[in-house]
Amino acid sequence: MSQTALSEPVAGAAPLAAHRPLNAAVGTAIGATAIGAFLPWASVGSLSFNGTEGGGLLNLILAGIGMTALLVARGRRWGMLLNVVTAALAALIVAVNLSDVERFADSIGTVSTGIGLWISLVGTVAWLIVSVVGLFRRRRPSA
């Protein structure tokens, strides 16, 4: 992919306003991912562990990178490409943590998955899907 291709708007010559709904959807998904990191990811008895005590901290960093790319790129392809990569990494982190909680629960039986992990899962999957759509979105010809 050439440098010129990465700096072009996602939808060809579409004005910035054409990207607002897509950018809003990406931003909302990133926000859900970030909020989920502050909520409980696992509970053991009366103890609760927030996402920021583990993989959620990495997700916060990735969410910051994604949001910065979204705001700086202003509809250019490289911004959506960076969001696809960061969303995929964040989704992988959430999936690994979800698997770890379930595996740990199988071994001791008193661990429950927290709401923050589920919110982060939904947020990262939505972030990834909307970013992929944004990356491959093309401008419709004018009538």
Side-chain angles (χ1 to χ4, degrees), residues 54-121:
L57 188 57
L58 291 173
N59 275 5
L60 279 175
I61 293 168
L62 291 169
I65 293 169
M67 189 62 81
T68 301
L70 187 67
L71 295 173
V72 173
R74 299 178 48 132
R76 286 186 225 105
R77 188 168 303 283
W78 68 265
M80 281 300 166
L81 180 61
L82 185 56
N83 266 291
V84 168
V85 171
T86 54
L89 290 172
L92 179 64
I93 290 167
V94 170
V96 166
N97 279 277
L98 185 59
S99 173
D100 287 348
V101 169
E102 297 299 324
R103 188 169 24 96
F104 194 61
D106 288 342
S107 67
I108 65 170
T110 60
V111 179
S112 62
T113 305
I115 189 72
L117 193 54
W118 294 115
I119 290 173
S120 290
L121 178 66

